[in-house]
């Protein structure tokens, strides 16, 4: 039994939420409380099932673990092929942690169409987990696109006033990127067939292909665009502030926490190993866009009046830093980038959650509507402050480790000036985030309505506290996480180097 | 010519038994209506039984050609026959509650549907241009009448007249094309078109061009598409569910057959360019105009025009693999499009009025099942993964890229992006807009429910487990007669 579980652990983790969604379909629409609790229970069960991934993950083993491979469309060599390395392990766990957190918050704050909401969330979780473990290009693409549909509904049905515009923009932007990737995937498999006479979409097979410079560049950009839109990298980031502002709180938590990471993840997992030459040739572009994102996101964040928009633009800035780390391509900068993805998921998830807590009580997110509420809602304030400090990289919390590793790794790469430029983002983030905290929690009382604010509820507290605990843990013991990331990053670098030697020899 | 039609052999009769079954079932319905009108509730059942018997004969017919090489029974015709049969079954299922709501439970509806189906079946099995033409006309006559089925409704009569006038025009082109091919080759059988050098003959070129116009008309391929939105709007929705799928598939198959017979060594460049232009025009025009539609049936009509543009890519790519891709595409299109029309049929209360999309506001809450299947169909038409539509596009674009048609594939995906604009608009209205109608839509009849469930199951089955349908389609396409290597 245990061996069976072990062999199919990833499949279980990926499909438990989908099974929960199917179960929910059998519920009557009126059974809202039951739907709520079942969805939460399913996501917690999934978290529990995913924990053995962490404990059983072999630190020293190279390559993918928990592999499963089944033929799916055997005629074309499309397979249900899944497996994780250190990078996907952490993102999988981030997903299984953030989904119950988001659902826990939704317990008290979603009133309409609860059953549909729960179904959408669970399908979304399966989509995210599936894209994180897929090692077959078609399988990845299917999960990648399937995610769009529930997120579209979550923003469109349960979102704010401009939800229709935001959900449509989100869908069209993401789709625009991925359609080119779809053609590129087909093209790669056709090339593989031409070269070997066999059909395969499996990553381990198609990475053995080499392309001529021009073709490789085109394919690289087809993939990179899809991922850049998801991250989002400047200048294709414009869907993000709208989507975040309009999405319900739980949607924002997942969007910022996991969905954006999938862009970087896809780049690391697919674009880099498939097109190493082009990726390194255009590393300057990746780094440049990352740096622009860092500075631009930070400046725009400073100019916002809406708390959620501040956090949304801070995401553009923080993910810019992650992109810089990816572009620099040293072991350290890459490890830092992966770690920072996790950090950003935790801190931004917590920030969105706490903004949601305030919003549910005052029904406004305007900075000016608040002020001086630290004494009224001390627990919320404390949690918000910790999340903020984590977000701006205070030593002792997780954000510091990530930012420092990225910047140091980038400094050690040939692109020193990126590190210098990106470091301004760290300073700027302190300015706009602390300003936010000051204006919301400390400034003098601006509005009498704030006197009667109620503090955080137990369910909200548990959700936020979970994230805070993880922030502290990573801040104090970063090597628990970095030890799992490093081998994966080194393998990635090795494979890229090997491919380059192969291409140089050709 | 000694293989006269007069001497039927046993094999001939066996091969045509599927069509005879449809004919008999149609006649039976009319007789029942005349002599036992109280049994009108059984019309749909008789029609379904007719289709079932027809499929039974089709599956069991011995493979080979009959009627002196004019009639084909092969894995290809069986595959297409099952596809057409599925379309007929879905249309009949939806018809019963639809006609009941409209208070027009007349037997001729089913009889005409069955006979139209018979015509389509002849088109797909005929290996003789005259036989194909007879099939085309049988289909057309039946559906001219069906388009004007609601005699007292102006829109329906308008649809009937429009379809008849433009359809007659299209048929004339087809016939003229057949005449030119006959003049150049000396025969009407497809095998007589297989002759080296025939493709270079200008008469043949014009003949094929006219055939392309005639069948392009049936496929509602731009620029021969103008009839579709008007006709769909006035025609009873279940009939549209059939007309928008089955004859289009048959027309594409006929084009594949004729072109493969004439061009043994592959499509010449000028035809390739012309077909590619048709494909691009159809996709782009269909998708862009659909963005502006406010009527559900017109929107689906333009979506269908665009879909036919995509599938014409298969004809440009040419060859048996491309045909297999087109077959898969049509299977996906069948479940998605027929499902969408079934949902439209179930979601509107007044059958004789227009079908503005805005009326569907809030349907997600008022009629959750129909709305959910409708949304699924729209996502499938848009080609979102894990649905049948994605699989259709997957194989189609794969075939195009394999033969180096990069530009066509790029234009195809760019069009998919445009199409998401209007498919999502309908989803948005279904789920995110507050209802304008307070009255609940009609309770979903069992037959509607069944048809919708079948379509949803088909969309997910093809979308998640595509290997079976691809294998069968490839096997079927391999038996395309007269095609070159």
């Amino acid at each position: 039994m245990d061996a069976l579980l072990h062999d199919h652990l990833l499949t279980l983790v990926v499909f438990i939420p989908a099974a929960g969604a199917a179960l929910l379909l059998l519920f009557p629409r009126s059974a809202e409380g039951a739907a709520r609790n079942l969805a939460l229970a399913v996501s917690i069960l999934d978290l529990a099932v995913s924990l053995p991934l962490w404990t059983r993950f072999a630190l020293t083993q190279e390559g993918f673990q928990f592999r499963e491979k089944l033929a799916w469309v055997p005629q074309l060599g499309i397979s249900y092929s899944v497996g994780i390395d250190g990078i996907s392990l952490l993102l999988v766990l981030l997903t299984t942690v953030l989904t119950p957190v988001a659902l826990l918050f939704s317990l008290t704050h979603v009133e309409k169409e609860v059953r549909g909401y729960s179904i959408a969330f669970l399908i979304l979780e399966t989509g995210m987990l599936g894209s994180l473990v897929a090692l077959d290009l078609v399988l990845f693409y299917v999960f990648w696109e399937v995610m769009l549909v529930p997120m579209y509904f979550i923003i469109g049905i349960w979102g704010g006033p401009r939800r229709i515009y935001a959900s449509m923009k989100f869908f069209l932007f993401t789709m625009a990127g991925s359609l080119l990737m779809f053609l590129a995937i087909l093209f790669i498999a056709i090339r593989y067939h031409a070269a070997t006479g066999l059909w395969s979409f499996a990553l381990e097979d198609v990475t053995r292909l080499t392309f001529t410079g021009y073709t490789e560049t085109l394919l690289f950009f087809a993939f990179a665009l899809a991922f850049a839109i998801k991250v989002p990298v400047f200048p294709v980031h414009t869907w993000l502030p709208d989507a975040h502002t309009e999405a319900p709180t739980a949607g924002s938590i997942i969007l910022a926490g996991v969905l954006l990471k999938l862009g970087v993840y896809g780049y690391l997992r697919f674009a880099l190993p498939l097109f190493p030459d082009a990726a390194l040739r255009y590393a300057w572009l990746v780094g440049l866009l990352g740096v622009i994102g860092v500075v631009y996101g930070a400046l725009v964040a400073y100019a916002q009046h809406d708390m959620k928009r501040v956090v949304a633009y801070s995401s553009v800035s923080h993910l810019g830093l992650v992109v810089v780390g990816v572009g620099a391509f040293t072991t350290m900068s890459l490890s830092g980038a992966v770690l920072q993805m996790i950090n950003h998921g935790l801190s931004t998830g917590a920030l969105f959650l706490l903004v949601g807590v305030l919003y549910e009580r005052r029904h406004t997110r305007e900075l000016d509507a608040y002020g001086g509420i630290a004494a009224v809602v001390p627990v919320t304030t404390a949690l918000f402050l910790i999340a903020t400090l984590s977000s701006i990289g205070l030593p002792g919390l997780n954000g510091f480790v990530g930012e420092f590793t990225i910047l140091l790794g980038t400094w050690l790469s040939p692109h020193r000036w990126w590190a210098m430029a990106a470091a301004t983002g760290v300073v700027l983030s302190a300015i706009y985030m602390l300003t936010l905290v000051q204006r919301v929690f400390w400034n003098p009382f601006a509005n009498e309505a704030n006197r009667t604010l109620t503090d955080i509820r137990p369910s909200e507290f548990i959700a936020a506290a979970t994230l805070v605990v993880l922030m502290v843990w990573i801040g104090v013991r970063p090597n628990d996480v970095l030890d799992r990331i490093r081998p994966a990053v080194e393998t990635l670098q090795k494979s890229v180097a090997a491919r380059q030697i192969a291409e140089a020899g050709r | 010519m000694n293989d006269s039609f007069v001497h039927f052999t046993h094999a001939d009769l066996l091969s045509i038994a599927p069509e005879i079954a449809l004919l008999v079932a149609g006649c039976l319905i009319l007789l029942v209506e005349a002599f036992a009108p109280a049994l009108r509730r059984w019309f749909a059942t008789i029609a379904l039984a007719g289709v079932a018997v027809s499929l039974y004969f089709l599956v069991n017919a011995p493979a080979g050609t009959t009627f002196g090489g004019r009639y084909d029974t092969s894995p290809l015709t069986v595959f297409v026959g099952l596809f057409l049969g599925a379309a007929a079954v879905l249309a009949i299922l939806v018809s019963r509650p639809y006609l009941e709501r409209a208070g027009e439970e007349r037997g001729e509806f089913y009889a005409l549907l069955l006979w139209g189906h018979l015509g389509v079946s002849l088109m797909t099995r005929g290996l003789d241009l005259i036989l194909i033409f007879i099939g085309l006309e049988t289909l057309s006559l039946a559906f001219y009448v069906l388009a004007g089925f609601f005699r007292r409704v102006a829109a329906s009569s308008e649809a009937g007249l429009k379809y008849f006038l433009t359809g007659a025009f299209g048929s004339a082109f087809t016939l003229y094309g057949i005449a030119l091919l006959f003049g150049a080759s000396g025969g009407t059988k497809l095998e007589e078109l297989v002759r080296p050098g025939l493709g270079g003959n200008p008469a043949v070129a014009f003949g094929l061009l006219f055939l392309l116009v005639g069948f392009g008309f049936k496929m509602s391929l731009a620029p021969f598409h103008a009839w579709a939105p008007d006709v769909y709007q006035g025609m009873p929705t279940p009939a549209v569910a059939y007309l928008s799928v089955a004859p289009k598939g048959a027309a594409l198959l006929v084009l594949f057959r004729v072109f493969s017979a004439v061009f043994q060594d592959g499509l010449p460049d000028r035809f390739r360019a012309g077909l590619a232009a048709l494909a691009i025009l159809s996709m782009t025009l269909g998708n862009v105009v659909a963005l502006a539609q406010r009527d559900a049936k017109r929107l689906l009509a333009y979506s269908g025009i665009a879909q036919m543009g995509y599938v014409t890519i298969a004809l440009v790519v040419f060859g048996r693999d491309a045909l297999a891709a087109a077959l898969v595409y049509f299977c996906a299109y069948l479940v998605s499009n027929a499902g969408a029309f079934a949902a439209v049929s179930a979601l509107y209360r007044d059958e004789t009025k227009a079908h503005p999309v805005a009326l569907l506001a809030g349907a997600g809450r008022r009629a959750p099942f129909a709305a959910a299947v409708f949304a699924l169909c729209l996502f499938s038409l848009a080609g979102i993964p894990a649905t049948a539509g994605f699989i259709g596009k997957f194989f189609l674009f794969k075939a195009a890229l394999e033969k180096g048609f990069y530009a066509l594939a790029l234009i195809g995906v760019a069009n998919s992006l445009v199409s998401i604009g209007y498919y999502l608009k309908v989803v948005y209205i279904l789920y995110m807009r507050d209802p304008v109608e307070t009255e609940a839509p009609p309770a979903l009849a069992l037959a509607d429910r069944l048809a919708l469930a079948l379509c949803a199951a088909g969309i997910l089955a093809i979308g998640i487990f595509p290997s079976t349908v691809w294998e069968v389609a490839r096997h079927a396409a391999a038996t395309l007669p007269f095609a070159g290597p």
Side-chain angles (χ1 to χ4, degrees):
Chain A
M1 185 64 196
D2 192 56
L4 188 75
L5 264 182
H6 184 85
D7 290 345
H8 300 287
L9 199 53
L10 276 184
T11 301
L12 271 179
V13 171
V14 171
F15 288 103
I16 281 176
L23 191 63
L24 274 174
L25 275 178
L26 304 176
F27 276 48
R29 285 153 62 80
S30 51
E32 299 201 330
R36 242 188 261 274
N37 294 331
L38 183 75
L40 181 61
V42 168
S43 68
I44 290 174
L45 171 70
D46 204 38
L47 171 61
V49 175
S50 71
L51 287 180
L53 291 178
W54 173 268
T55 52
R56 296 185 188 188
F57 188 82
L59 281 181
T60 48
Q61 189 182 327
E62 270 203 27
F64 294 101
Q65 307 185 21
F66 303 99
R67 290 289 318 253
E68 284 174 58
K69 192 167 182 177
L70 283 171
W72 185 17
V73 186
Q75 305 98 316
L76 287 182
I78 302 175
S79 53
Y80 171 77
S81 168
V82 296
I84 53 172
D85 61 0
I87 303 173
S88 27
L89 167 75
L90 289 168
L91 288 168
V92 163
L93 290 171
L94 180 69
T95 311
T96 53
V97 168
L98 281 180
T99 306
V101 164
L103 284 171
L104 195 59
F105 177 86
S106 314
L107 272 186
T108 42
H109 298 308
V110 170
E111 275 113 34
K112 87 174 167 184
E113 299 288 316
V114 179
R115 190 185 69 141
Y117 181 84
S118 311
I119 292 174
F121 248 92
L122 291 176
I123 293 178
L124 179 64
E125 187 177 10
T126 288
M128 295 185 295
L129 292 170
S131 358
L132 286 169
V133 302
L135 295 178
D136 178 285
L137 294 181
V138 174
L139 186 68
F140 170 74
Y141 185 78
V142 168
F143 279 122
W144 173 266
E145 292 286 277
V146 161
M147 270 184 315
L148 283 187
V149 177
M151 201 63 201
Y152 166 75
F153 280 112
I154 288 172
I155 300 177
I157 298 183
W158 295 276
R162 288 172 71 235
R163 58 182 191 269
I164 305 304
Y165 170 76
S167 59
M168 193 68 136
K169 196 169 172 183
F170 163 75
F171 203 104
L172 286 178
F173 260 72
T174 322
M175 199 73 190
S178 33
L179 281 170
L180 282 180
M181 180 167 77
F182 168 55
L183 284 189
I185 289 174
L186 282 175
F187 183 85
I188 291 168
I190 288 166
R191 271 300 176 82
Y192 185 79
H193 180 237
T196 62
L198 299 169
W199 282 104
S200 176
F201 287 82
L203 187 61
E204 72 247 32
D205 290 334
V206 292
T207 37
R208 277 188 265 132
L209 276 178
T210 49
F211 303 97
T212 54
Y214 179 62
T215 318
E216 178 165 348
T217 306
L218 283 181
L219 291 173
F220 169 72
F221 276 107
F223 270 72
L225 179 67
F227 299 139
I229 290 176
K230 201 79 154 196
V231 172
V233 171
F234 178 88
V236 284
H237 65 283
T238 58
W239 63 270
L240 178 89
D242 289 311
H244 266 315
T245 317
E246 302 308 322
T249 300
S252 289
I253 295 173
I254 295 297
L255 191 59
V258 185
L259 247 60
L260 308 187
K261 309 306 175 321
L262 283 165
V264 179
Y265 170 77
Y267 186 85
L268 291 176
R269 173 70 71 240
F270 297 100
L272 263 178
L274 278 170
F275 322 111
D277 259 5
L280 295 185
R281 199 161 50 239
Y282 289 95
W284 63 271
L285 185 63
V286 175
L288 178 68
L289 292 177
V291 168
I292 294 178
V294 169
V295 178
Y296 169 86
L299 292 177
V300 179
Y302 185 63
Q304 300 304 312
H305 302 289
D306 179 314
M307 284 195 275
K308 242 181 159 180
R309 282 186 99 85
V310 176
V311 183
Y313 277 107
S314 85
S315 290
V316 175
S317 178
H318 285 140
L319 282 161
L321 188 62
V322 172
V323 171
V324 168
V326 170
F329 206 66
T330 60
T331 311
M332 195 180 272
S333 74
L334 283 169
S335 309
V338 176
L339 176 62
Q340 190 60 7
M341 287 202 273
I342 310 300
N343 294 339
H344 177 260
L346 297 174
S347 59
T348 308
L351 286 175
F352 273 124
L353 195 153
L354 293 163
V355 168
V357 167
L358 292 179
Y359 177 78
E360 294 300 338
R361 284 155 179 74
R362 282 278 275 111
H363 296 284
T364 174
R365 292 187 303 256
E366 286 294 312
L367 289 173
D368 296 334
Y370 295 93
I373 58 173
V376 189
V377 286
V379 182
T380 313
T381 310
L383 291 169
F384 200 100
L385 194 60
I386 298 174
T388 303
L389 294 175
S390 149
S391 169
I392 63 179
L394 181 84
L397 289 171
N398 56 348
F400 170 73
V401 189
E403 285 182 351
F404 186 73
T405 324
I406 292 179
L407 290 174
L408 187 60
T410 309
W411 182 259
L412 295 175
S413 79
H415 312 284
R416 280 195 173 186
W417 71 269
W418 294 356
M420 294 195 276
T424 59
V426 179
V427 180
L428 289 171
S429 77
I431 297 179
Y432 62 79
M433 281 313 294
L434 290 178
T435 312
L436 173 97
V437 171
Q438 161 129 27
R439 284 172 72 181
V440 171
F441 294 98
W442 272 288
N443 274 355
F445 252 94
N447 195 321
E448 282 305 309
N450 289 332
R451 275 196 207 285
T452 52
L453 275 186
T454 50
D455 208 346
I456 197 161
R457 277 176 228 221
S459 64
E460 295 164 339
F461 177 78
I462 296 171
T466 314
L467 299 180
V468 167
V469 167
L470 289 171
M471 284 175 210
V472 176
W473 177 46
I474 296 180
V476 178
R477 295 181 53 107
N479 279 339
D480 288 352
V481 176
L482 281 170
D483 284 348
R484 285 169 171 78
I485 297 173
R486 207 173 293 116
V489 165
E490 278 165 1
T491 312
L492 177 68
Q493 284 184 308
K494 250 185 270 170
S495 77
V496 168
R499 284 285 303 280
Q500 281 204 301
I501 292 164
E503 288 197 18
R506 216 159 42 102
Chain B
M1 292 274 186
N2 51 7
D3 51 341
S4 98
F5 268 78
V6 184
H7 300 289
F8 288 166
T9 63
H10 184 63
D12 290 344
L13 279 176
L14 262 185
S15 73
I16 205 168
E19 283 71 31
I20 294 177
L22 295 173
L23 180 69
V24 170
C27 294
L28 190 64
I29 290 174
L30 288 191
L31 287 173
V32 169
E33 179 165 44
F35 293 106
L39 293 179
R40 60 177 59 237
R41 291 183 47 222
W42 293 89
F43 288 161
T45 316
I46 300 173
L48 283 176
V51 176
V53 172
S54 155
L55 289 179
Y56 171 79
F57 282 130
L58 182 73
V59 172
N60 289 302
T65 55
T66 45
F67 293 102
R70 291 188 174 86
Y71 212 62
D72 191 19
T73 310
S74 63
L76 179 59
T77 61
V78 172
F79 185 95
V80 176
L82 289 171
F83 159 78
L84 300 174
V89 166
L90 290 174
I92 293 167
L93 279 178
V94 184
S95 296
R96 206 190 131 192
Y98 179 89
L99 293 178
E100 213 167 4
R101 280 197 298 274
E104 296 262 12
E105 259 189 310
R106 286 185 276 142
E108 71 246 38
F109 185 92
Y110 296 102
L112 287 166
L113 197 60
L114 287 175
W115 293 338
H117 179 51
L118 160 72
V120 183
S121 189
L122 283 182
M123 270 168 81
T124 59
R125 299 183 67 194
L127 296 177
D128 183 306
L129 290 170
I130 294 297
L131 196 54
I132 293 173
F133 184 73
I134 292 173
L136 178 71
E137 282 304 279
T138 312
L139 153 78
S140 303
L141 284 174
F143 275 84
Y144 295 152
V145 184
L146 280 177
F149 184 72
F150 294 131
R151 276 169 300 190
R152 284 177 206 84
V153 180
S156 185
S157 308
E158 181 194 325
L161 191 62
K162 266 190 184 151
Y163 192 31
F164 175 67
L165 291 177
T166 48
F169 198 58
S171 295
F173 267 99
T174 312
L175 200 56
Y176 194 31
I178 292 175
L180 282 171
L181 288 178
F182 174 65
S185 70
T188 56
K189 288 206 278 187
L190 291 186
E191 65 185 20
E192 283 158 320
L193 294 174
V194 185
R195 197 182 303 161
L198 196 65
N201 185 335
V204 171
F206 274 100
L208 291 175
L209 193 64
F210 288 148
L211 278 192
L212 190 59
V213 173
F215 287 104
F217 175 85
K218 280 289 157 218
M219 281 175 73
S220 74
L221 208 57
F224 320 116
H225 65 282
W227 60 276
D230 291 341
V231 171
Y232 286 12
Q233 210 179 359
M235 190 185 253
T237 315
V240 183
Y242 185 83
L243 184 72
S244 64
V245 177
K248 295 182 176 185
L252 188 76
L253 179 64
V254 170
L255 288 176
F256 249 105
R257 279 199 161 134
V258 176
F259 278 84
S260 321
V262 176
F263 301 117
Q264 296 282 308
D265 314 321
L267 215 50
D269 284 341
R270 56 178 193 281
F271 271 98
R272 186 156 269 164
L275 285 168
L278 281 184
I280 294 170
L281 182 67
S282 212
M283 286 189 264
T284 314
L285 185 137
N287 280 326
V288 171
V289 179
L291 287 172
Q293 297 307 310
R294 299 214 169 128
D295 184 283
K297 282 162 93 177
R298 289 185 81 85
L299 185 139
L300 285 174
Y302 280 104
S303 127
I305 292 166
Q307 298 281 346
M308 289 306 104
Y310 296 124
V311 79
T312 304
I313 292 177
L315 200 55
V316 180
V317 175
F318 211 57
R320 293 193 162 103
D321 267 1
L323 176 62
L327 292 178
V328 174
Y329 196 91
F330 262 106
C331 289
Y333 179 63
L334 162 72
V335 281
S336 328
N337 206 54
F341 276 109
V344 167
S345 165
L347 282 170
Y348 287 92
R349 195 173 325 110
D350 196 340
E351 308 302 348
T352 53
K353 295 225 179 86
H355 295 63
V357 183
L359 264 192
L360 294 177
R365 252 166 286 162
R366 289 180 296 134
F369 182 64
V373 177
F374 196 12
L376 182 66
C377 292
L378 293 166
F379 280 122
S380 175
L381 286 169
I384 305 293
T387 64
F390 171 70
I391 299 302
K393 290 209 168 72
F394 181 91
F395 286 112
L396 201 59
F397 291 140
K398 174 187 151 275
L401 288 178
E402 237 178 323
K403 293 282 169 66
F405 295 99
Y406 302 130
L408 263 184
L410 268 178
I411 296 172
V413 294
N415 262 291
S416 315
L417 186 63
V418 175
S419 73
I420 287 170
Y422 59 88
Y423 290 129
L424 273 196
K425 192 177 82 179
V426 180
V427 176
Y428 144 65
I429 289 170
L430 285 171
Y431 282 96
M432 301 167 198
R433 212 193 254 177
D434 289 327
V436 285
E437 253 192 301
T438 43
E439 249 179 298
L444 212 49
L446 185 66
D448 274 336
R449 212 171 262 277
L450 187 61
L452 289 169
L454 283 175
C455 289
I459 288 173
L460 293 176
I462 299 178
I464 298 175
F465 303 105
S467 63
T468 315
V469 64
W470 171 243
E471 197 53 45
V472 179
R474 227 164 41 139
H475 180 57
T479 58
L480 177 71
F482 315 126

